[in-house]
Amino acid sequence: MNVPSAAAASLQPPLSRNGLPPGVHFIQRDWLSSNQVLLCDSDPQRWAQECAPDQAPHDYTLIDTSYVKHQHTTLALLRHQIGAGRLRRIINTHLHSDHCGGNALLSTTWDCEVLVPRASLEDVNRWDAVALSHAGTGQDCPPFRATGSLQPGDAFVAGGLEWQVHAAPGHDHKSLLFFAPAQGLLVSADALWENGFGILFPALEGESAFDEQDSVLDLIESLRPQRVLPGHGAMFTDVAKALATARSRLKAMRDKPERNARNALKALIKFKILDVEVMTIEHFLRDYARTSVNRAAARQLGQPAEVLLHQALLELHEAGQVRIEGDVFYNREVP
Ligand SMILES: [Zn+2]
């Protein structure tokens, strides 16, 4: 999908106090839900009015929609930002459950377009929960319909900026990232966070992913972004530092590939407990060990999934990241 945007590229709106153009809002969430980037699609001549609820209603584009557990919070946050305006388009960087769990609710609330990576379009529209990774990770995601797609080389206009669409394989080979050269803004999804990047899921299945992640980091460096809006965690401007951190983590994984598998087990446990909040250890080891992503990690590490998960759980408890009491465990924040 290519949208001409000569007007968008030629006008440079002033940056607001948080360093973002006035039509770009970054909504930081926790680690269960992806962050959202809300982009005001009003006429470029109206940028200076700043897109805000008390102004005239605007149309908006939203990049990524959170995990299903938080979908009503996401809706409330959007209503607050949008006011009497309208969400006209959802764009997903990729289809992991924490990035598209609000798609169904939001797209029916506003009857909006939903654009997904072209490589995932068929998986979405026949709702293949295995191909979309939701079955393999044991995570929930309500089905939704995609109305279109984006692929590397495309461009779209949103928030008064033209965004380039780039491939971001590694964490998810079908993932995209979006770059607005006029303001040096990068929506990096899970390809680059301030302090790392997402689990390299294909590597758990024995597929190539380290080289792909390496090339995505090179791509990001070549784009020379000034500010990164990541899929999780805070936005950041010290891109060189984030790239150095990511490269050193990637090198550690290459040197010891089982590190990716062990990190993945722990990250998936933390995600699970953020989702369900409390779980018996027996239930966890019996059911969760069966998910294909945990079985794949266990194959790589050469031990039964139950043993590895129990070990990872104890390590998380010792690190203060989950709490075990008797035969249950829960997120450490839950009393
Ligand atoms: Zn992801």
Side-chain angles (χ1 to χ4, degrees):
M1 172 172 297
N2 274 289
V3 184
S5 61
S10 63
L11 291 171
Q12 290 284 322
L15 299 181
S16 55
R17 275 194 299 276
N18 62 7
L20 293 173
V24 179
H25 302 266
F26 179 66
I27 305 174
Q28 187 181 340
R29 307 295 294 277
D30 67 4
W31 287 85
L32 183 65
S33 283
S34 66
N35 297 329
Q36 280 83 60
V37 181
L38 181 63
L39 301 157
C40 181
D41 288 338
S42 66
D43 185 305
Q45 301 302 327
R46 295 168 65 197
W47 289 338
Q49 296 170 17
E50 181 125 2
C51 297
D54 56 344
Q55 303 287 333
H58 299 274
D59 285 346
Y60 289 83
T61 292
L62 183 69
I63 299 177
D64 288 342
T65 64
S66 81
Y67 188 62
V68 60
K69 181 179 177 182
H70 294 159
Q71 62 181 338
H72 290 286
T73 306
T74 307
L75 179 60
L77 287 167
L78 288 181
R79 284 200 195 282
H80 172 72
Q81 289 284 346
I82 288 175
R86 181 177 73 100
L87 187 66
R88 73 174 183 93
R89 181 171 55 173
I90 291 168
I91 296 178
N92 291 113
T93 56
H94 63 302
L95 278 306
H96 285 165
S97 62
D98 53 331
H99 290 254
C100 65
N103 275 32
L105 177 66
L106 301 182
S107 63
T108 51
T109 299
W110 277 286
D111 191 23
C112 60
E113 283 182 78
V114 178
L115 305 185
V116 300
R118 175 74 49 86
S120 296
L121 182 62
E122 274 187 35
D123 298 338
V124 169
N125 283 343
R126 65 167 190 264
W127 201 255
D128 184 337
V130 172
L132 291 168
S133 83
H134 310 152
T137 52
Q139 297 168 3
D140 294 327
C141 187
F144 60 87
R145 294 287 299 175
T147 58
S149 63
L150 291 167
Q151 62 182 343
D154 284 351
F156 62 91
V157 173
L161 299 170
E162 181 170 319
W163 298 84
Q164 303 169 348
V165 178
H166 294 275
H171 165 69
D172 172 357
H173 286 346
K174 297 174 180 175
S175 182
L176 302 174
L177 55 77
F178 307 128
F179 181 60
Q183 297 283 2
L185 272 185
L186 176 71
V187 174
S188 63
D190 294 342
L192 181 68
W193 303 332
E194 187 171 21
N195 204 21
F197 48 83
I199 297 168
L200 300 181
F201 281 103
L204 296 179
E205 306 283 354
E207 292 174 32
S208 166
F210 298 135
D211 286 347
E212 285 80 354
Q213 178 64 25
D214 210 8
S215 65
V216 168
L217 297 177
D218 288 347
L219 166 72
I220 291 173
E221 185 169 41
S222 74
L223 295 173
R224 303 170 67 88
Q226 302 296 304
R227 181 177 294 272
V228 177
L229 311 181
H232 296 273
M235 66 176 164
F236 56 92
T237 54
D238 194 343
V239 185
K241 185 174 168 211
L243 285 169
T245 302
R247 285 187 169 124
S248 103
R249 293 201 167 189
L250 186 59
K251 180 177 183 314
M253 285 180 192
R254 275 190 194 278
D255 292 348
K256 241 179 157 185
E258 64 269 24
R259 193 184 288 251
N260 182 48
R262 288 193 188 280
N263 288 347
L265 286 173
K266 286 187 183 170
L268 288 164
I269 292 173
K270 285 194 279 182
F271 188 93
K272 189 73 185 167
I273 207 61
L274 280 170
D275 182 9
V276 300
E277 298 186 14
V278 63
M279 204 170 186
T280 69
I281 295 173
E282 184 195 352
H283 175 199
F284 168 72
L285 294 178
R286 189 188 60 228
D287 293 349
Y288 195 51
R290 290 195 193 131
T291 58
S292 65
V293 70
N294 282 317
R295 287 205 312 269
R299 269 197 304 279
Q300 267 200 5
L301 294 167
Q303 290 186 63
E306 291 84 347
V307 172
L308 289 165
L309 285 170
H310 202 192
Q311 196 179 352
L313 189 57
L314 292 174
E315 286 173 16
L316 286 170
H317 173 70
E318 274 164 28
Q321 298 190 32
V322 301
R323 279 168 63 176
I324 297 175
E325 277 189 22
D327 59 354
V328 300
F329 74 106
Y330 42 85
N331 187 27
R332 68 190 162 92
E333 278 87 21
V334 177

